[in-house]
Structure formats: C-alpha cells, structure tokens
Amino acid sequence: MRILSGIQPSGKLHIGNYFGMMKPAIELQEQGEAYLFIANYHAMTTVQDADALRAMTTDVALDFLACGIDPEKTAFYRQSDVPEVHELAWLLSTLCPMGLLERCHSYKDKIARGIAASHGLFAYPVLMAADILAVNSNVVPVGRDQKQHVEVTRDLAIRFNNAFGEVFTIPEPSIRENVAVVPGVDGQKMSKSYDNTIEIFNEGKPLKKRVMKILTDSKEMEDPKDPETCNVFALYTLLATEEEQTALAERYRAGGMGYGHAKTELLDKINEHFAPMRDKRRELAENMDYVEDVLRQGAGKASALARETLGKARKAVGLE
Ligand code: ADP
Ligand code: TRP
C-alpha cells in the first residue's frame, strides 16, 4: 500500500497541529510505503515573500524530522524538487471541468477570508491531484477540509483513464474523523489564526506564561471542579496516561485544588512529551546538510515514480 500526504508550510506548529495531523502522519509510516512532502508550490498561493517561504519550508522539515518522521521509512521531500507534477497537472487540467473547481469549498473559504482569487488558488486542486497521481498513491490521509480535493483527484483520474486508458491508480481518502479538535488557550479550536496556540517548540518562561493563560471558570480553590468542561484538563488528556487522567480528575472533583496546580501538571506533561523533540530539532538545525540530504533522497524516490507515471501519461495522450 502506498500512502501519500502533503503539508503546507504555514508558520509555527502548535499542539493542535501535532495531535491533529503530525502524529497521525508519523504513525502511518508504519503502515505502508509512505510519501510525505512539503507543499511549497501550494503555499505560493498565499505566501508571496521569498524569505518567508524558504524559512517556513525549512521549519516544517525540521519540525517533522524532530517529531519522528523516519527517512528510512518515509520519502520526505519538497514538492518543488519534483517538478514533474506540473506537467501532469497540465494534462489533468485539460480534462477538468470548470464546475468541479468552482464547487470547491476550500477555494470559496479562502476567497471569503480575503485571499486574492488567483488562477493558482483556483487550480490548486488540480496540482494536488497531480501530487497524488504522480506517485500512484493508494491512500491519502488528510483532514476533513481536504476530503473534497481527494474526490476531485479521483474524478480526474477516472476521467483520464476512461479517455486514454488505465494510467492512474484511483486513490482513497483516509479521513482523520476520530481526531478530536484540540482547544486553544481561549477554549476555541486551537488555530494560528486565533492567536490562541501553544507552540510545540516554545519552551521555558514564554511557554509557562502561555499555559498559565488558559481560560478556566472562576471557581475558588476549595470548590469541587468539573474536569469534563475544563480546557486545561482537555489538553492534559492528550498527554497523560489513563491513570494520570483519573488521578487528576479525582482531584478536580474533590475540591481543594486550584487551576494553577492543574496548569503546572499540564506544563510538566508538555515539557516531558516535547523535550526530546526540542533537543532533536536543535541538533538537526545544526546539521542542515543532513536535512538537505534527507529531502533530496526523498525527492529522488518520488521523482523516479513521477517520471514513470508521466511517461505513461504522455504516451497515452499522444504527446509521444
Ligand atoms: P491552523 O488552524 O493553525 O491554521 P491548519 O489549518 O494549517 O492550522 O491545519 C494544519 C493541520 O492541523 C490540519 O490537518 C488540521 O486538521 C490540523 N489542526 C489544526 N488545528 C487543529 C486543532 N485545534 N485540533 C486538531 N487538529 C488541528
Ligand atoms: N492541500 C493540502 C492542505 O492544505 C496540502 C496538500 C497538497 C496535499 N498536495 C497534497 C495533501 C496531496 C495530500 C495530498 O493541507
């Protein structure tokens, strides 16, 4: 089974990204032949600053390697190191009905948020289809917001195969339905757009300040408290064992424990969980030649597959 997913380089990663997207991606490398790429072509639809794009691409590479992407198991690469996807995107776009793209929620949402309606933004799902079909991926793990794009991919692959013969594998989306929404320090969904995140590579005093800011109700120290409705406890459950969760829940219900204490327990857990990754990230950042090597090797593996697929597609349509 071949599994492929892409992530846009888009700023500092937070605990919501970690549990919602990174951890599942890292676990998938145990389940098949994994391909994971940094979607820097896609990011150009929203990031128009060369230094920022470069810096964010490097950040994502370091973040994912530090959190457990194993280059022996996953071909990890920059999208721009596999330019074959553009030719494939063109072949697909010639049989992509306008209506299919006009119906995409993600495009409409982005425009509603004030992002300029460029051709790139509109054609984004066709490039995404090319990413997926280039390596003949069977499974595409994505968040719910990307499901429609995988459906567009399936539609395009079927149209192409019907018109020109069997060239593409029809991929299945694998939607992370069971991943809970991680709350931010204000209790809303944690998101960089809401300035409510806890960043995974933040540490020391700034991290402590952030954790102490988590919104709670105004119960007094001695009052019994409800763990089920508490943001601090919700974050704690992501990081603590069942026994630890039960123990803290009992202390909530018994009263006599202030939220400050629960926050300190949470902070300890965050530090315990992410400390090894922070160390690894520092080590990797000192070793950019190694990181570059990993990305190049990953790109080599993906390019070899992409060239093969593109060769078949070019013949099928009559370019060769
Ligand atoms: P943000 O909302 O911070 O801009 P993105 O939209 O870039 O994050 O999301 C990147 C990935 O992280 C997506 O797969 C998304 O499902 C996941 N993700 C983001 N925030 C959360 C959250 N609070 N809880 C669970 N998953 C999340
Ligand atoms: N559009 C995806 C996102 O914003 C990123 C992406 C680009 C992707 N190409 C892909 C994901 C191919 C899966 C497969 O999250």
Side-chain angles (χ1 to χ4, degrees), residues 10 14 16-17 20-21 143 176 179-182 189-193:
S10 62
H14 52 73
N17 297 138
M21 179 261 294
R176 299 181 292 252
V179 175
V181 172
V182 177
K189 170 188 184 274
M190 189 179 287
S191 168
K192 62 182 175 307
S193 327

Side-chain angles (χ1 to χ4, degrees), residues 6-22 113 141-146 176 179-184 188-194 196-197 238:
I7 17 125
Q8 286 207 53
S10 62
K12 302 271 179 230
L13 291 168
H14 52 73
I15 294 182
N17 297 138
Y18 178 78
F19 286 101
M21 179 261 294
M22 296 176 85
R113 279 194 281 134
V142 284
R144 210 167 309 159
D145 60 321
Q146 296 295 317
R176 299 181 292 252
V179 175
V181 172
V182 177
Q188 288 189 81
K189 170 188 184 274
M190 189 179 287
S191 168
K192 62 182 175 307
S193 327
Y194 305 151
N196 65 355
T197 65
L238 296 167

Side-chain angles (χ1 to χ4, degrees), residues 4-8 37 39 42 124 128 131-132 140 142 146 149:
L4 168 125
S5 197
I7 17 125
Q8 286 207 53
F37 69 94
H42 278 106
Y124 181 112
M128 181 159 162
D131 296 326
I132 297 168
V140 185
V142 284
Q146 296 295 317
H149 290 164

Side-chain angles (χ1 to χ4, degrees), residues 125-147:
V126 182
L127 181 58
M128 181 159 162
D131 296 326
I132 297 168
L133 301 177
V135 305
N136 278 314
S137 180
N138 308 101
V139 181
V140 185
V142 284
R144 210 167 309 159
D145 60 321
Q146 296 295 317
K147 183 172 180 222

Side-chain angles (χ1 to χ4, degrees), residues 75-87:
F76 185 40
Y77 57 99
R78 269 181 298 251
Q79 187 181 28
S80 55
D81 290 337
V82 185
E84 289 86 356
V85 294
H86 281 295
E87 188 171 348

Side-chain angles (χ1 to χ4, degrees), residues 247-258:
L248 188 62
E250 274 168 16
R251 296 180 64 191
Y252 264 77
R253 294 196 183 98
M257 180 194 73

